[in-house]
């Protein structure tokens, strides 16, 4: 009796986990993908902020940018737009893009409660909102490792 050679989807991977599609998962690819999305978010903030300022000023609503609630949501939108565009360019499906977008908004939405209760100030909202995005993104990525760490 002679055995069949192992196929890539059934052969054990010498290092790393194997994704459901048979590709080896890479921590390096995962970290690089994370870094790319953080860069895209920063680009979104830098590029889209002046657009918002121009539009809001033209509409007589520039105060919205300085309101901590709307300002935070506008900033999260800037980051989400750029990150979503990058993810779509990289070939991601809409569901993971939406999940990653939620990771931009949820930290701010959660922090709106202590802000409204005057337990934190606007600076704390912005600092912690941005910091908490990072683990929120990591959680979204870890829910779908094959989406972000395949080689």
């Amino acid at each position: 009796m002679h055995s069949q050679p192992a196929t890539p989807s059934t052969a054990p991977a010498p290092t790393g986990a194997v994704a459901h599609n048979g590709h080896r998962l890479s921590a390096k690819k995962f970290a690089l993908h994370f870094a790319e999305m953080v860069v895209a978010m920063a680009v979104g903030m830098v590029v889209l902020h002046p657009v918002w300022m121009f539009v809001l000023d033209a509409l007589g609503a520039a105060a919205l940018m300085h309101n901590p609630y709307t300002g935070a949501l506008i900033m999260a939108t800037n980051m989400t737009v750029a990150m979503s565009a990058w993810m779509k360019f990289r070939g991601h499906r809409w569901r993971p893009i939406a999940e990653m977008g939620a990771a931009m908004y949820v930290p701010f939405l959660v922090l709106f409660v202590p802000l409204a209760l005057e337990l934190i100030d606007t600076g704390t909202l912005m600092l912690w909102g941005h910091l908490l995005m990072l683990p929120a993104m990591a959680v979204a990525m870890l829910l779908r490792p094959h989406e972000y760490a395949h080689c």
Side-chain angles (χ1 to χ4, degrees), residues 6-143:
T7 63
S9 62
T10 60
T15 58
V18 177
H20 74 279
N21 61 3
H23 293 129
R24 188 172 55 85
L25 299 180
S26 165
K28 182 177 177 181
K29 293 274 186 183
F30 187 90
L32 179 61
H33 205 105
F34 187 90
E36 287 175 2
M37 289 192 292
V38 170
V39 168
M41 291 161 45
V43 169
M45 285 192 303
V46 170
V47 171
L48 295 176
H49 179 78
V51 174
W52 277 99
M53 290 303 295
F54 176 78
V55 170
L56 291 174
D57 190 44
L59 296 173
L64 289 175
M65 190 61 88
H66 304 292
N67 176 292
Y69 300 97
T70 54
L73 293 176
I74 289 168
M75 188 175 302
T77 300
N78 292 345
M79 291 184 278
T80 301
V81 166
M83 183 186 57
S84 297
W86 181 249
M87 288 179 72
K88 197 63 183 163
F89 174 78
R90 292 272 312 226
H92 289 278
R93 297 166 293 120
W94 286 113
R95 182 172 178 169
I97 293 171
E99 292 167 352
M100 200 57 67
M104 302 297 98
Y105 291 98
V106 168
F108 284 117
L109 296 174
V110 168
L111 290 169
F112 284 171
V113 174
L115 180 68
L117 296 173
E118 298 181 355
L119 298 173
I120 63 172
D121 62 15
T122 303
T124 303
L125 168 76
M126 290 303 196
L127 173 66
W128 282 101
H130 286 86
L131 289 176
L132 291 173
M133 282 179 189
L134 302 176
M137 289 172 58
V139 166
M141 291 174 72
L142 289 169
L143 291 174

